[in-house]
Amino acid sequence: MASRSVFVRRMERLQRALALEELDGVMMAPGSNIRYYTGVQSKLLERPFLFFVPAAGSANLVAPTLEAGPYSRAPLELGIHSWDDAGGPAGAFDSLRRELPLKGRWGCEGQVPFGYLAHVSDKKLSLEPADRLLQSIRETKEASEIASLKKAASMLSRAYLKVPGFARAGSTELEVARAMREAAFAEGAESVDFCDVQAGKHAADPHWAPSSAKLRNDEAFLIDAGCTVGGYNADITRTFVIGKDKRVEDAYADVLEGQSAGLRAVAPDALTGDVDSAARSRIAAAGRGKHFFHRTGHGLGLEIHEEPYIVTGGRKKLRPGMVFTVEPGVYYGGRFGVRIEDDVVVTETGSDVITSGVPKEFGWWK
């Protein structure tokens, strides 16, 4: 866990941002934002659990007793109002209101369940979306965060180098996914939250989940996997071919050219839309534009998808410390799909591709 001073600085940044937005505070549900400010990870479940940060003063937490313990040891001083299943949460929210009047304009994280909000509803309280504000603070990473992201990327990269040893014709998507997960854990990953393996025509559906379908000779397959270190996510995609498939090889060359152009466009003060355009224009020039139908990338951090998003027309300026993917792809329904994904850090002078340990030239796996 980062030092207490790190969490103090983060809270100060948040409270300054609240003041600038003329908000009286912000409330959050269990997840990445609470972890960012407290160092404690909790799951979003059915029991009401909310973190309250006023524009001035100390943060407060309403949480079930069975989850409140780690917060009493958090680096920041928190007002903790716990409740148990026998008594219910009403008393804890009454205790909160005695410490922290809930009135005026408050920001609310988008993932807060409606059922939680019933406990804070009041005609004196106005709630407004706070995701833009919360994401803007987290999108530029500190040195310790980048170190964790690089460590996760290195572990995942080494796992990808093992793919040629376990992915073969006759293996099922599920078997390959299991082997990939095991490879990442063997390299030291703390969690492997997803591993999508898509054989043949399934790769034309970018979010296809692994099934009992088998890898076949003279056919492509795609692996999109992520792992974490200290809660920070790495995310890599590679496309492979067992045997030969000229259609895939030709598409692969065009996607790789587009991805390379996108990575070259990453620099301080470039726009997110510039990176998207650099990748997309190369693929469109090859006659494959209509087959590239998603954004070029997404930010990485405590969440696998967060700001900045690398989208068509994006006007956000890149700043040193931003970390995101560059992952163009083309998809031919019922036939095949190709995607190549790397993770990149914006530096003071350009960029650093932190997943460069995985080769990209076609056929590297042979």
Side-chain angles (χ1 to χ4, degrees):
M1 183 184 293
S3 66
R4 182 178 185 277
S5 62
V6 169
F7 292 100
V8 169
R9 287 197 300 271
R10 290 176 181 177
M11 187 62 68
E12 289 173 346
R13 286 176 63 199
L14 174 58
Q15 290 185 313
R16 286 197 299 270
L18 290 171
L20 286 172
E21 294 287 332
E22 298 183 338
L23 290 171
D24 294 293
V26 63
M27 61 183 72
M28 307 169 219
S32 297
N33 282 310
I34 290 183
R35 182 170 185 169
Y36 184 76
Y37 292 106
T38 68
V40 181
Q41 176 68 26
S42 294
K43 294 181 179 179
L44 180 61
L45 299 170
E46 74 280 4
R47 294 180 175 92
F49 185 138
L50 284 170
F51 183 56
F52 300 84
V53 178
S58 299
N60 279 258
L61 180 78
V62 172
T65 301
L66 58 84
E67 298 189 64
Y71 291 91
S72 66
R73 302 183 291 275
L76 290 176
E77 292 185 9
L78 305 174
I80 299 176
H81 311 270
S82 60
W83 60 274
D84 59 30
D85 290 343
F93 280 99
D94 287 343
S95 174
L96 167 73
R97 289 186 181 90
R98 289 192 289 271
E99 294 288 330
L100 182 65
L102 295 178
K103 59 183 180 180
R105 297 176 63 237
W106 276 68
C108 183
E109 183 182 11
Q111 70 170 4
V112 174
F114 186 80
Y116 287 17
L117 295 177
H119 296 280
V120 297
S121 178
D122 190 291
K123 62 182 181 181
K124 297 180 180 179
L125 177 65
S126 171
L127 297 180
E128 302 184 12
D131 290 287
R132 179 188 56 79
L133 180 149
L134 294 169
Q135 289 273 318
S136 70
I137 293 172
R138 286 174 37 213
E139 70 182 358
T140 302
K141 271 56 182 181
E142 302 155 355
S144 61
E145 294 179 284
I146 292 174
S148 292
L149 287 160
K150 286 184 173 181
K151 192 172 182 179
S154 178
M155 290 174 178
L156 189 59
S157 296
R158 294 196 298 271
Y160 265 91
L161 297 179
K162 299 178 180 179
V163 171
F166 58 72
R168 55 184 60 89
S171 301
T172 69
E173 294 172 337
L174 285 167
E175 289 168 343
V176 174
R178 187 179 305 116
M180 184 66 188
R181 288 176 180 274
E182 290 171 355
F185 280 123
E187 293 298 335
E190 294 176 5
S191 71
V192 182
D193 293 336
F194 69 94
C195 180
D196 295 335
V197 178
Q198 301 159 348
K201 64 182 182 181
H202 291 164
D205 296 315
H207 287 173
W208 174 269
S211 72
S212 59
K214 293 182 178 181
L215 278 57
R216 300 191 301 185
N217 282 317
D218 299 324
E219 191 172 77
F221 68 94
L222 183 152
I223 301 179
D224 182 354
C227 78
T228 67
V229 169
Y232 287 86
N233 288 270
D235 187 4
I236 300 174
T237 303
R238 290 292 186 268
T239 303
F240 306 81
V241 177
I242 299 174
K244 297 180 179 180
D245 189 327
K246 189 64 165 58
R247 300 172 309 166
V248 173
E249 185 173 356
D250 290 345
Y252 191 104
D254 294 333
V255 171
L256 181 56
E257 183 178 350
Q259 201 231 14
S260 298
L263 288 170
R264 288 194 298 270
V266 177
D269 294 327
L271 302 179
T272 52
D274 295 340
V275 180
D276 182 273
S277 177
R280 195 172 301 278
S281 61
R282 295 299 181 94
I283 292 172
R288 302 182 188 274
K290 70 178 182 180
H291 299 284
F292 179 17
F293 46 70
H294 55 71
R295 64 193 174 209
T296 293
H298 56 82
L300 291 168
L302 288 171
E303 294 179 273
I304 192 65
H305 287 181
E306 60 180 57
E307 291 283 359
Y309 292 103
I310 312 304
V311 297
T312 300
R315 303 299 300 170
K316 184 184 291 285
K317 277 191 176 183
L318 298 181
R319 299 190 302 275
M322 288 182 169
V323 185
F324 51 87
T325 67
V326 175
E327 51 176 307
V330 295
Y331 311 93
Y332 292 82
R335 297 163 63 191
F336 67 90
V338 174
R339 186 168 67 256
I340 303 171
E341 174 185 25
D342 282 298
D343 305 344
V344 59
V345 180
V346 183
T347 67
E348 294 288 345
T349 57
S351 65
D352 178 15
V353 180
I354 60 176
T355 49
S356 59
V358 190
K360 288 185 286 190
E361 66 274 11
F362 188 85
W364 71 266
W365 52 87
K366 295 181 180 180

